[in-house]
């Protein structure tokens, strides 16, 4: 199946990044936000990130114009998905919100279209079961910043069909990304491996083993990570890290995923990282 029209629900950090890469690779994309002001803000962010690419000579000014022309904004999901071959949901990580979005999309999108979710922690199988087409539901997990990171984690729910996985793999390659297929278990692979490392770094701060800068230097200089785990935790959002650790902890019932009490305390204090201006660092 060729993907000729995409709809992305949600224009936040991940949603606008996903729109950016589809539009830049010549695939028209409908961007849905709850209010026009939010949709305009998402397009402004895409514009800014495209300008950064023009300045770095990764694309030229004409490609920037064409990319923006490939994006149409909507505030009505039903309208936005009616001709979409692929719908990607990138709304907040809350099962009830995602379930409602999937209900609207399931009703309005063409029968054969693929319903993908960018979730980093919610079960694809559980979301799929709320729709009339579980075999067409799949995880398409992008990484922040989407225009830069090469991975798309393609998550196969219990009923996801081989055709759907193949189409999503091919689509990811069209975006110059590398798809990696994984099964639907808590945290998939990315967060099952990443979050325990971040949690352990937080435990080191909590126990006074070293301060955040030194822990990050160990991982940057010793293991060639582009960002240390604590800087990365701030970048991802400490609330998001805590939510994912809770999903791992509850999903596997294994104490090795127990969130650090310091992480819980920081989230309780509203110190969520970059988005609130304070986390392990001041931003
Ligand atoms: N759009 C377009 N280009 C961007 C961009 C954006 N939003 N953000 C950065 N870039 C480009 C820059 O223009 C720059 O390009 P050049 O290589 O041509 O110079 C390049 O990316 C590097 O950016 P900077 O020079 O500004 O900064 P940096 O070298 O410190 O890199 C970084 C920034 C790319 C974010 C890097 O630190 C990095 O890779 N960090 C790790 C990010 C990571 O692990 N992300 C995954 C998080 S987990 C997740 O998303 C999923 C989940 O489920 C929680």
């Amino acid at each position: 199946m060729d993907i000729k029209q995409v709809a992305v629900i949600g224009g936040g950090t991940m949603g606008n990044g996903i729109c950016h890469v589809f539009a830049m690779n010549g695939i028209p994309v409908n961007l849905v936000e709850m209010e026009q002001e939010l949709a305009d803000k998402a397009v402004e962010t895409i514009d800014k990130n495209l300008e950064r690419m023009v300045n770095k000579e990764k694309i030229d000014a004409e490609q920037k114009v064409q990319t923006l022309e490939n994006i149409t904004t909507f505030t009505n999901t039903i309208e936005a998905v009616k001709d979409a071959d692929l719908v990607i949901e990138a709304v907040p990580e809350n099962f009830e919100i995602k379930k409602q979005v999937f209900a609207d999309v399931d009703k309005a999108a063409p029968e054969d279209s693929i319903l993908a979710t960018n979730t980093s922690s919610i079960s694809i199988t559980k979301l799929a079961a709320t729709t009339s087409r579980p075999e067409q539901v799949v995880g398409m997990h992008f990484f922040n910043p989407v225009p830069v990171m090469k991975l798309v984690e393609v998550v196969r729910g219990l009923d996801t069909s081989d055709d759907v996985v193949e189409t999503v793999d091919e689509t990811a390659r069209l975006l110059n990304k590398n798809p990696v297929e994984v099964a639907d278990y808590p945290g998939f692979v990315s967060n099952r491996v990443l979050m325990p490392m971040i949690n352990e770094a937080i435990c080191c701060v909590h126990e006074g083993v070293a301060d955040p800068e030194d822990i990050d230097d160990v991982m940057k200089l010793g293991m060639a990570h582009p960002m240390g785990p604590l800087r990365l935790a701030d970048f991802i959002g400490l609330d998001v890290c805590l939510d994912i650790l809770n999903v791992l902890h509850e999903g596997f019932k294994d104490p090795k995923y127990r969130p650090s009490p310091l992480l819980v305390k920081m989230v309780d204090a509203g110190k969520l990282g970059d988005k609130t201006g304070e986390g392990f660092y001041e931003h």
Side-chain angles (χ1 to χ4, degrees), residues 150-210:
K150 297 301 280 182
L151 175 66
V152 176
E153 195 175 31
V154 178
V155 190
R156 185 190 274 272
L158 193 63
D159 293 316
T160 313
S161 75
D162 290 345
D163 282 353
V164 164
V165 170
E166 199 179 306
T167 303
V168 168
D169 278 1
E170 277 166 17
T171 307
R173 284 195 199 93
L174 276 177
L175 305 176
N176 293 310
K177 306 279 183 211
N178 291 47
V180 174
E181 278 176 41
V182 307
D184 182 24
Y185 285 98
F188 316 134
V189 169
S190 54
N191 282 316
R192 184 169 174 177
V193 174
L194 175 64
M195 288 301 159
M197 180 188 70
I198 287 178
N199 200 37
E200 208 54 40
I202 299 172
C203 290
C204 288
V205 179
H206 192 203
E207 291 165 23
V209 179

Side-chain angles (χ1 to χ4, degrees), residues 149 193-198 201 215-233:
M149 306 309 278
V193 174
L194 175 64
M195 288 301 159
M197 180 188 70
I198 287 178
I215 294 166
D216 280 351
D217 276 348
V218 166
M219 300 308 289
K220 283 193 294 185
L221 306 177
M223 285 71 171
H225 289 201
M227 277 177 172
L230 297 161
R231 179 67 196 87
L232 183 56

